[in-house]
Amino acid sequence: MVFQSLKKLNYRYEVTTGLYMLESWEKYIINGIICASFALLTYTAVNHLPKQSINFANQLSDYVAA
């Protein structure tokens, strides 16, 4: 049951992104690029978003106080 639902999710992913018409080595390359992009986005959000949020809050409080 779980295997069938995973196969269905994979099928939906491939049909939605158009990967179903590529060869397996091309799928590996595209999926690798997508995974690397997601990893870099996550890394950037974890490391820089808290600093930017604090900076934004400080600027907003200065703007409201003035």
Side-chain angles (χ1 to χ4, degrees):
M1 186 69 178
V2 175
F3 185 69
Q4 288 179 347
S5 63
L6 288 175
K7 282 180 71 172
K8 186 175 181 180
L9 282 174
N10 185 38
Y11 175 74
R12 290 166 110 190
Y13 167 69
E14 287 186 358
V15 169
T16 303
T17 57
L19 293 175
Y20 67 96
M21 62 184 144
L22 300 177
E23 294 183 17
S24 62
W25 66 272
E26 294 170 324
K27 290 180 188 179
Y28 288 130
I29 291 173
I30 300 296
N31 286 330
I33 291 170
I34 291 171
C35 289
S37 299
F38 184 71
L40 289 173
L41 178 69
T42 303
Y43 172 78
T44 302
V46 167
N47 284 324
H48 298 293
L49 191 60
K51 295 174 193 173
Q52 293 295 333
S53 299
I54 291 170
N55 188 19
F56 177 73
N58 288 337
Q59 288 180 353
L60 186 63
S61 65
D62 290 342
Y63 178 74
V64 171

